[in-house]
Amino acid sequence: MTEDAARLPDPVLPGALTDKPPFTFWDLIRGKRRGMPWSMPDEIYEQPVLLQKSLIGDIVYVGDPELAKQVMIDRPADYPKAEIELRMFSALFGQGLLGLDGEAWRKHRRTMAPAFDPRSVAGYAPAMAESSEAFVQRWGNLEDGAVVEVSGDMTDLTLAIIARTMFSGEGEALEPVIKAILDRAPQFSDFNLFDMLPGTRAIRMAERERRMQTLFAPLDEAVAAMIARREGRADAPNDLLSRLIAARDAETGLAFTPREVRDELITIFIAGHETTATAMTWIWYLLARHPQERARLHEELDRVLGGRRPTGADLADLPFARRVVEESLRLLPPTPGISARVARREDDLGGVKVRAGAYVVVAPWVLQRHRRTWPEAERFDPDRWLPERSEGRPRLAAMPFGAGPRVCIGQRLAETEIQLIMATLAQHYELDLASDAPVKLRHNVTIRPVGGLPMKVRRRERAPAAVAAE
Ligand code: HEM
């Protein structure tokens, strides 16, 4: 163990992960979340693969990155997404990427890919930096050292960014409509046993779909009006909405219908802001817990940017900032349990017999804390991402965005956004935890701090060397 590790005896979330409740039938019926990845047996962090018998059948947890690659990259057709998950997403967001499978999914993915390619993402970067800078003003109105609830604030910021990325100037007017929807949406995402039983599942799904349609109706009207205004217009802004309207399937030449555009917009909206807000929340938390690393980040930002607004092109010159993001996404992946696959046929994974129909869980949380892959796995150590320390590391040792054909379509967008937010805000502010109380986690697709994360915001002076160099 290094000296640093001895001084900072992580786990990074003291007290938060000790809660390992047993999985009871009663919990399942009530839909109480038992999917917390840290409540898995400890052996999973030592073994390549672990088989558990459960009420819903065999569950195979994969901890070895080479076996994960077999499932996610080499043979994805043998391990399709679990149907219950697809059904949940389609009930929530309609026929968007998260809820589709097979040929319909392939068509949507092909058609949408160009809107998320490096050139498109570079085009969204200025809006991301501008929104982050507007947020600097919001904290600037506070007294120095004031306490903010960081996870809520980051949600506001990522919501503003995705609204602008998707709808340009028109996004701002939509923000209150969307916020009102999101405030009510969580109550629809609690799934339980009745969603799995053949007798009740169709009724429950239909009921959920109906409620979601009512919930999203105000947004549907606004989006439909926007689509109608933009169709055929040569001077439409170059945002995600325009790209989805203009998108054509490379094979069939067909465009999305307005309904398909709507479903994809809602999918991206939800998938694209909650995750990045979660990532930002844990980045501020980890930096506060590791002041030496935070000081290194500040030094790099001051030296390279000297207080100006970062651009997408600056990110290549901020290698330490990138390592901070990579390490944060390793240690506290925003979607720690995603995603369950189902074995289509009998198989052998690392000597464990996988029956047809078994759930196969390739969870970022497990792979990214696996003790065979990661020395001092629970320690926050951005330098483990230095090229010389990454040599020979298997490809799926870390996979916060998933892997294979269904890898997160927004990965590049998210990485750019997170780095721009961090680079903009950390130039102006330093955040410290407002309380020593253990942070408890709630896992419901993403992991958020229970009751939010209160932090003190202090203004920073830039390093004298960076100021003098101007
Ligand atoms: C830190 C931020 C993010 C994380 C950790 C994350 C994580 C993931 C993961 C793990 C998957 C794969 C799920 C699976 O294999 O079953 C996924 C899929 C997806 N993500 Fe992300 N995501 C993030 C940001 C975004 C953003 C910014 C967008 C859109 C703007 C987005 C849109 C999507 C969509 C549409 C899918 C489904 C892709 C498909 O099935 O083809 N995500 N995400």
Side-chain angles (χ1 to χ4, degrees):
M1 191 184 269
T2 64
E3 223 184 273
D4 239 357
R7 252 202 326 275
L8 290 168
D10 281 346
V12 291
L13 286 157
L17 310 181
T18 51
D19 175 26
K20 291 191 175 174
F23 184 89
T24 67
F25 189 63
W26 178 230
D27 289 332
L28 187 64
I29 288 181
R30 287 183 300 165
K32 214 170 152 188
R33 294 280 147 184
R34 282 292 172 261
M36 300 104 101
W38 51 91
S39 67
M40 290 174 193
D42 194 62
E43 305 146 69
I44 186 59
Y45 301 102
E46 301 281 356
Q47 293 189 16
V49 60
L50 188 78
L51 170 69
Q52 270 196 333
K53 304 274 172 197
S54 86
L55 288 168
I56 52 168
D58 284 3
I59 305 182
V60 179
Y61 295 104
V62 180
D64 176 79
E66 295 301 343
L67 296 175
K69 183 168 162 288
Q70 277 187 39
V71 173
M72 306 293 286
I73 297 178
D74 299 342
R75 291 191 289 122
D78 289 342
Y79 292 100
K81 278 199 166 200
E83 234 198 88
I84 173 84
E85 205 172 290
L86 291 169
R87 266 211 312 272
M88 176 183 95
F89 282 123
S90 62
L92 296 176
F93 316 133
Q95 301 298 296
L97 275 183
L98 279 165
L100 291 172
D101 205 12
E103 199 36 54
W105 167 80
R106 256 186 295 282
K107 176 189 160 239
H108 274 235
R109 181 93 191 197
R110 268 194 318 256
T111 312
M112 286 170 75
F116 292 90
D117 69 12
R119 256 190 55 206
S120 300
V121 171
Y124 309 141
M128 293 172 177
E130 269 166 42
S131 299
S132 304
E133 203 154 83
F135 196 84
V136 167
Q137 308 299 327
R138 169 163 156 181
W139 277 355
N141 294 332
L142 302 171
E143 255 176 55
D144 202 33
V147 173
V148 298
E149 199 288 278
V150 162
S151 111
D153 276 10
M154 289 299 108
T155 306
D156 288 350
L157 174 54
T158 58
L159 193 62
I161 288 179
I162 198 77
R164 278 200 61 178
T165 307
M166 293 205 315
F167 308 120
S168 301
E170 292 176 282
E172 218 168 306
L174 278 186
E175 267 179 63
V177 182
I178 293 158
K179 263 180 111 163
I181 292 174
L182 292 178
D183 284 347
R184 289 179 50 216
Q187 57 186 296
F188 297 123
S189 63
D190 268 350
F191 283 72
N192 64 33
L193 186 67
F194 298 110
D195 293 293
M196 299 188 200
L197 293 177
T200 46
R201 95 183 157 206
I203 302 167
R204 280 187 58 88
M205 282 294 167
E207 168 59 12
R208 184 171 283 111
E209 273 166 23
R210 197 192 53 71
R211 280 186 296 166
M212 290 307 284
Q213 270 166 18
T214 314
L215 184 69
F216 278 107
L219 184 63
D220 286 347
E221 280 165 33
V223 170
M226 260 193 243
I227 295 174
R229 273 201 300 278
R230 287 199 189 184
E231 265 170 338
R233 240 181 67 187
D235 60 341
N238 202 9
D239 52 20
L240 200 53
L241 176 61
S242 293
R243 282 166 208 252
L244 290 186
I245 295 171
R248 297 290 177 273
D249 185 332
E251 283 181 19
T252 62
L254 293 176
F256 280 140
T257 64
R259 177 74 204 182
E260 285 172 323
V261 172
R262 175 265 184 208
D263 286 357
E264 287 301 1
L265 285 173
I266 286 175
T267 301
I268 292 164
F269 218 96
I270 307 290
H273 92 281
E274 163 90 10
T275 44
T276 39
T278 305
M280 283 315 308
T281 303
W282 297 120
I283 286 173
W284 298 127
Y285 170 86
L286 287 166
L287 288 172
R289 292 281 321 275
H290 300 86
Q292 286 174 336
E293 307 300 346
R294 184 173 65 186
R296 288 175 70 193
L297 173 70
H298 289 158
E299 186 282 324
E300 183 180 82
L301 296 175
D302 292 350
R303 179 167 40 79
V304 176
L305 300 172
R308 69 174 164 79
R309 181 195 296 177
T311 65
D314 286 321
L315 301 181
D317 299 325
L318 298 168
F320 186 71
R322 175 155 189 107
R323 296 204 292 278
V324 166
V325 174
E326 285 179 313
E327 180 66 344
S328 304
L329 292 176
R330 179 190 72 83
L331 209 45
L332 292 166
T335 54
I338 239 172
S339 177
R341 302 307 202 239
V342 172
R344 194 162 259 168
R345 56 187 174 82
E346 195 179 296
D347 199 2
D348 180 294
L349 281 178
V352 168
K353 187 177 158 190
V354 180
R355 285 203 244 197
Y359 284 96
V360 177
V361 180
V362 185
W365 183 280
V366 172
L367 285 154
Q368 297 174 184
R369 288 170 171 250
H370 207 272
R371 295 176 202 131
R372 287 192 183 192
T373 315
W374 299 98
E376 296 181 73
E378 296 199 348
R379 195 161 97 81
F380 179 70
D381 176 12
D383 283 347
R384 67 169 93 231
W385 292 93
L386 281 167
E388 59 272 27
R389 285 179 62 191
S390 304
E391 252 169 55
R393 187 179 289 145
R395 181 162 161 203
L396 294 200
M399 43 160 280
F401 295 97
R406 300 212 61 150
V407 67
C408 176
I409 199 169
Q411 174 168 358
R412 182 176 279 267
L413 192 156
E415 287 170 342
T416 304
E417 177 180 348
I418 291 167
Q419 289 178 72
L420 285 172
I421 295 176
M422 187 176 80
T424 309
L425 296 189
Q427 285 196 84
H428 297 275
Y429 300 107
E430 184 167 282
L431 273 70
D432 281 300
L433 291 165
S435 144
D436 291 335
V439 176
K440 295 271 177 205
L441 305 187
R442 177 167 191 271
H443 179 210
N444 187 357
V445 186
T446 54
I447 34 166
R448 305 298 289 252
V450 174
L453 189 66
M455 294 188 88
K456 280 187 217 146
V457 182
R458 290 208 187 81
R459 285 181 193 84
R460 289 188 51 230
E461 296 295 326
R462 265 185 292 142
V467 176
E470 277 175 14

